[in-house]
Amino acid sequence: MSQTQKQSLYGLTLSELQTLCAELSLPRFAAKQIARWLYVRRVKAIEEMTDLSKVARAALEEHYELGLAAPLKESCSADGTKKYLFRTSQGEYIESAYIPDGERATLCVSSQAGCRMGCRFCATGRQGLQHSLSTTEIINQILSIPESERLTNLVFMGMGEPLDNMDNVMKALEIITAPWGMAWSPTRVTLSTAGVARELERFMNETKVHLAVSLHNPFHDQRAEIMPIENAYPIREVCDILRRYDFTGQRRVSFEYIVMEGLNDSSAHIKELCRLLDGIKCRMNLIRFH
């Protein structure tokens, strides 16, 4: 494997690290040691993994790199919100948003460069999909910003549709919440989706993180005009799936609703929302259109 083909260590799950150790003839327990160096101690060089033998570190150096990359640009607003610009491995650009709010510090994470969903009110949707991010590129957004150690919450609400990049997003969520990884409580993480129903059950069954569903209109024809995904996965189908899950405990589901004057703010819309969400213990997040 040449220098340019080195694989990134950041973004690997414990099972992948165990496979790595087997391939390099390292002891199986070394996988947890490497995971601890990556996701707890957040090393900047393989040489820093001092509880691995020199032979093991040399083997890692030969075939792997850490894989973190600093943001290219930082933009800061008056309220302290910051946008970080990253370049992806395929030469596209993505943004992450750091949002401080009292004792909370939230990072809005991207899952794709661009997006194929085509929601009419979304600037990212106008770009189309360039490519889905690797797990390394998702984790990199969290670990490479200056405020990384201060983060209290993560939201997968940046560029892209997370459930359209299911495997890499699920691996990232595993790394973020697993005891061998970053060990965050799942209640500190929220994933936002336009409603990719084919992947929703897997997400619900395999994670415990919060869910936010972009709804914006309860009527099928009207929602389809602004969210083409409605034609493939009607919001009623999404709600039917969610009724099968218990949201009376710590896990919650919320519905995002951009209020657009004269388009989705009538009493008829309110009544239809009540019918649509009947039986789902949920929150409604009303968003001012801008």
Side-chain angles (χ1 to χ4, degrees):
M1 188 180 293
S2 70
Q3 182 74 19
T4 57
Q5 294 175 314
K6 285 185 177 181
Q7 185 179 353
S8 298
L9 289 175
Y10 277 106
L12 296 183
T13 64
L14 182 60
S15 62
E16 290 172 328
L17 289 171
Q18 289 169 343
T19 299
L20 174 160
C21 289
E23 291 174 347
L24 298 181
S25 299
L26 303 180
R28 186 177 175 85
F29 64 79
K32 283 191 175 181
Q33 292 176 302
I34 297 170
R36 184 167 61 250
W37 284 112
L38 294 173
Y39 304 122
V40 179
R41 298 176 182 175
R42 303 184 182 188
V43 290
K44 304 302 182 188
I46 291 174
E47 186 60 30
E48 295 176 21
M49 301 181 183
T50 51
D51 60 356
L52 298 179
S53 69
K54 287 186 177 181
V55 172
R57 280 177 277 165
L60 284 176
E61 289 273 14
E62 182 179 357
H63 298 290
Y64 291 87
E65 61 185 6
L66 291 180
L68 293 188
L72 297 178
K73 183 179 178 182
E74 171 188 326
S75 303
C76 186
S77 64
D79 64 0
T81 298
K82 295 181 180 180
K83 283 187 177 182
Y84 288 101
L85 182 71
F86 294 90
R87 187 173 184 176
T88 72
S89 61
Q90 298 188 31
E92 305 294 343
Y93 295 91
I94 59 167
E95 285 186 335
S96 304
Y98 170 75
I99 308 168
D101 183 15
E103 296 182 355
R104 290 172 61 94
T106 301
L107 185 68
C108 186
V109 180
S110 292
S111 57
Q112 297 179 313
C115 182
R116 79 169 90 236
M117 297 299 111
C119 298
R120 291 180 59 190
F121 49 81
C122 178
T124 304
R126 299 192 195 105
Q127 300 177 20
L129 177 66
Q130 278 81 56
H131 67 93
S132 291
L133 301 187
S134 67
T135 307
T136 299
E137 290 170 323
I138 295 171
I139 294 296
N140 180 64
Q141 297 170 70
I142 302 165
L143 298 184
S144 68
I145 64 170
E147 299 84 4
S148 180
E149 297 283 359
R150 298 204 293 271
L151 295 176
T152 62
N153 297 84
L154 292 171
V155 290
F156 282 72
M157 295 182 182
M159 296 174 67
E161 164 56 59
L163 298 190
D164 194 36
N165 185 17
M166 190 65 173
D167 290 340
N168 290 326
V169 167
M170 292 294 284
K171 283 170 57 179
L173 291 175
E174 181 182 358
I175 290 167
I176 293 163
T177 61
W180 53 261
M182 294 168 61
W184 278 40
S185 165
T187 60
R188 295 170 61 186
V189 184
T190 300
L191 180 143
S192 177
T193 179
V196 184
R198 71 170 184 272
E199 303 288 5
L200 185 57
E201 287 187 81
R202 178 184 170 191
F203 167 78
M204 293 299 299
N205 292 335
E206 296 182 17
T207 80
K208 295 182 180 179
V209 307
H210 295 319
L211 177 68
V213 179
S214 295
L215 200 164
H216 310 308
N217 202 305
F219 292 108
H220 172 76
D221 290 344
Q222 294 178 19
R223 187 171 188 260
E225 288 182 2
I226 59 172
M227 300 181 69
I229 192 174
E230 175 71 13
N231 292 312
Y233 303 114
I235 191 63
R236 288 195 174 278
E237 180 182 340
V238 173
C239 291
D240 287 343
I241 292 172
L242 293 177
R243 281 190 188 87
R244 303 202 289 266
Y245 293 89
D246 181 12
F247 295 103
T248 59
Q250 289 187 314
R251 188 179 204 178
R252 68 171 183 263
V253 59
S254 59
F255 291 88
E256 311 294 310
Y257 199 93
I258 298 174
V259 180
M260 306 176 201
E261 185 177 3
L263 296 177
N264 66 353
D265 61 346
S266 70
S267 58
H269 288 93
I270 295 173
K271 292 177 182 178
E272 187 63 19
L273 276 173
C274 291
R275 282 193 289 267
L276 178 67
L277 303 180
D278 185 39
I280 304 174
K281 181 178 172 60
C282 62
R283 298 182 180 187
M284 177 66 70
N285 182 22
L286 299 180
I287 304 169
R288 182 178 297 175
F289 180 72
H290 61 85

